[in-house]
Amino acid sequence: MMEKKEKKSSFTGQLGFVLAAAGSAVGVGNLWRFPYLAAKDGGGLFLIIYLILVLTFGFTLLTSDITIGRRTGKSAIGAYEKMRHKWKFLGVLTFLVPVVIMTYYAVIGGWITKYMVAFICGQGGSAAEDGYFQSFISDPLQSVIYAVIFMVITAIIIYRGVENGIEACSKFMMPVLLVLIVFVAFYSLFIKHGDRTGFKGFLVYITPDIKGLTIKKFMAVLLDAMSQLFFSLSVSMGIMITYGSYVKKDVDLNKAVGQIEIFDTGVALLAGMAIIPAVFTFSGLKGMNAGPGLMFISLPKVFASMGAVGNVVGAAFFIMASFATLTSCISVLEAIAANCMEVFHTKRHSTTLALGIIYTIASVVIALGYSVFYCEIPLPNGSTGQLLDLMDYVSNSVMMPFISLLSTILIGWIVGPDWITDEIESSGVKFRRKKLYIIMVRFVCPVIMVALFMQSTGILARL
């Protein structure tokens, strides 16, 4: 028997919404992926391209998702059905993105929590040893315990609801996260090791490296920046649609989108400022080429090289990273829960309990993908990965670009951009970037999405 539908939840106001939405956007992508891409793609060159994309591409997708949610008052499945009944399939596709992502997000959260505990307990030296990370993720017991703990904490917050759970959590964690990242970033500027300093590393970070730049290399940097923005802002996965459905009609969406952009981009820039100068100081340019291993392999070595203070700085960094990952994990589970409550007309508590059990089991399976269920899976983009890599590839490299493409076609050419712009101006405010939005959603974004989809699936490389 289906349960009686609950009264629609909502954020208390603009601040609660912005902090929750920023918490969703600020995650592993800002603290891990952004710095290593910046180091790989010419420092300042990547930053300039990224900032331009934030103000155009990111602004368009973020505005669309949030406004769709508020205008329809629904999560992804119901929202797209309400826009155009025949496009309900797009809502289902969008719903499936967090369904896939949630299988592994708590596992990554468990990894970060493990390092946080190590540094808080003064074991930063051990965490910096060669093989520490591989030893941990291939240990069935430890990797599962940390993943389950992270998953349970996420479920408890979702169980408490929008105002008492998500909003309350974000209002506490986001200011703390900001203070910690500012502390680590400015500390990194003044460290010294031999003839290298943090400030020199900062200059390497912000100075555009155009040496040997070709059209092919520029396109590679452009696509990296686009995929990072896509990864960072939580667009095209139904999260911002769900959060938008909780926004009251008197909230200025135009202003809120700008604030989320500033917060998310600011944290990403500070993360680069915290990580790249530190890695450069202790490991030189070679250390900056660590790629995806930057957070779990290179950074612990950097913190260990700092001596006694390294445990303090390392603990601050991984506490910050844990908070960022938790707020993102919360938003992913909330998007799933909200859709389930609307489709099955169930209450939050029973829905959260069911999803908590399902995703605890899923997290265990993915965590064991590096030990008990270890396998090497060839991916279409030419790489080889384990279960976690497969889930990440399907959600981020295939589904999200495809969903964004369909969404921009729906808004730009079927319902029309006015469907979005009228809702933004319904609270009596002027949509200052209205012309930019219309041009982007109709002409530019569809082309960018096709290029990103072809690049991420390996089609572009084969042409």
Side-chain angles (χ1 to χ4, degrees):
M1 184 176 177
M2 292 187 295
E3 299 174 37
K4 186 179 178 181
K5 188 178 179 181
E6 292 180 325
K7 181 181 176 182
K8 184 72 175 181
S9 303
S10 65
F11 294 113
T12 56
Q14 182 147 332
L15 177 63
F17 163 60
V18 169
L19 287 176
S24 171
V26 173
V28 179
N30 300 72
L31 302 178
W32 160 67
R33 202 167 184 266
F34 184 92
Y36 92 70
L37 285 178
K40 178 175 80 75
D41 289 335
L45 176 63
F46 177 85
L47 299 185
I48 292 169
I49 294 173
Y50 184 81
L51 289 173
I52 292 172
L53 289 175
V54 166
L55 297 173
T56 52
F57 171 65
F59 148 74
T60 304
L61 295 181
L62 189 60
T63 298
S64 297
D65 277 10
I66 292 172
T67 309
I68 287 171
R70 191 175 79 167
R71 177 155 181 172
T72 62
K74 301 282 186 180
S75 296
I77 296 175
Y80 281 112
E81 183 181 22
K82 197 169 181 179
M83 287 177 74
R84 277 291 186 276
H85 183 73
K86 292 182 179 179
W87 283 72
K88 181 181 178 180
F89 76 93
L90 182 54
V92 175
L93 282 177
T94 306
F95 165 68
L96 290 177
V97 175
V99 166
V100 174
I101 290 175
M102 197 63 222
T103 61
Y104 67 84
Y105 219 116
V107 176
I108 297 175
W111 295 351
I112 295 172
T113 304
K114 167 67 176 178
Y115 277 80
M116 179 188 75
V117 171
F119 276 92
I120 289 175
C121 295
Q123 298 172 358
S126 298
E129 292 176 359
D130 291 333
Y132 181 86
F133 179 63
Q134 187 60 40
S135 175
F136 164 62
I137 65 173
S138 60
D139 181 331
L141 184 60
Q142 279 201 76
S143 59
V144 164
I145 288 174
Y146 277 97
V148 169
I149 290 172
F150 202 87
M151 183 64 235
V152 170
I153 293 172
T154 303
I156 289 172
I157 294 168
I158 296 299
Y159 186 89
R160 289 177 56 83
V162 175
E163 185 178 336
N164 296 324
I166 301 169
E167 184 175 335
C169 175
S170 298
K171 281 184 174 179
F172 166 72
M173 289 197 293
M174 294 313 291
V176 174
L177 185 151
L178 191 59
V179 169
L180 288 173
I181 198 168
V182 169
F183 162 70
V184 177
F186 279 94
Y187 179 85
S188 292
L189 290 179
F190 300 102
I191 56 179
K192 186 176 181 180
H193 183 72
D195 61 346
R196 292 193 297 263
T197 65
F199 186 72
K200 285 183 181 178
F202 174 70
L203 292 179
V204 170
Y205 171 50
I206 65 170
T207 303
D209 181 7
I210 57 174
K211 185 179 178 181
L213 184 65
T214 61
I215 293 176
K216 184 178 180 180
K217 184 177 178 182
F218 176 81
M219 287 302 297
V221 176
L222 177 64
L223 289 171
D224 272 352
M226 284 194 296
S227 63
Q228 168 58 26
L229 186 68
F230 203 73
F231 189 88
S232 176
L233 285 177
S234 297
V235 291
S236 300
M237 57 176 76
I239 291 172
M240 290 303 176
I241 294 178
T242 296
Y243 278 15
S245 73
Y246 299 148
V247 177
K248 296 176 180 177
K249 290 292 185 180
D250 59 350
V251 170
D252 183 348
L253 290 186
N254 189 41
K255 186 177 179 181
V257 168
Q259 290 170 335
I260 295 166
E261 285 179 295
I262 291 170
F263 204 112
D264 179 70
T265 307
V267 170
L269 293 173
L270 283 169
M273 184 175 160
I275 293 172
I276 293 176
V279 173
F280 172 81
T281 302
F282 289 95
S283 305
L285 292 172
K286 184 180 178 181
M288 290 172 61
N289 295 322
L294 195 67
M295 177 180 284
F296 298 110
I297 299 172
S298 296
L299 269 179
K301 292 183 183 298
V302 169
F303 296 139
S305 302
M306 292 179 179
V309 74
N311 269 320
V312 177
V313 178
F317 176 82
F318 282 107
I319 290 171
M320 171 183 70
S322 295
F323 280 8
T325 309
L326 181 59
T327 53
S328 293
C329 197
I330 288 166
S331 66
V332 175
L333 185 58
E334 175 62 21
I336 301 169
N339 277 283
C340 288
M341 286 187 285
E342 286 179 9
V343 171
F344 300 112
H345 306 293
T346 52
K347 290 184 178 181
R348 173 172 292 275
H349 290 172
S350 57
T351 304
T352 305
L353 284 172
L355 290 174
I357 293 170
I358 291 170
Y359 280 109
T360 296
I361 295 170
S363 297
V364 169
V365 172
I366 297 297
L368 293 175
Y370 294 91
S371 54
V372 177
F373 301 135
Y374 181 84
C375 58
E376 294 187 357
I377 306 166
L379 301 175
N381 61 2
S383 63
T384 301
Q386 283 71 53
L387 293 177
L388 187 149
D389 303 299
L390 176 63
M391 296 295 104
D392 182 62
Y393 175 80
V394 168
S395 57
N396 286 284
S397 298
V398 179
M399 297 182 71
M400 288 166 65
F402 184 60
I403 289 165
S404 279
L405 172 62
L406 293 179
S407 179
T408 53
I409 291 172
L410 174 62
I411 296 167
W413 298 99
I414 298 177
V415 300
D418 288 349
W419 195 93
I420 295 289
T421 60
D422 288 349
E423 174 64 23
I424 292 174
E425 294 180 335
S426 65
S427 56
V429 298
K430 184 179 180 181
F431 188 11
R432 295 185 299 273
R433 292 186 278 179
K434 183 176 181 178
K435 289 183 179 179
L436 173 64
Y437 177 81
I438 293 172
I439 292 170
M440 290 296 300
V441 80
R442 298 196 76 179
F443 304 107
V444 182
C445 284
V447 175
I448 291 176
M449 286 293 86
V450 170
L452 182 58
F453 180 76
M454 292 175 68
Q455 185 262 350
S456 60
T457 54
I459 297 173
L460 204 61
R462 293 192 291 270
L463 295 178

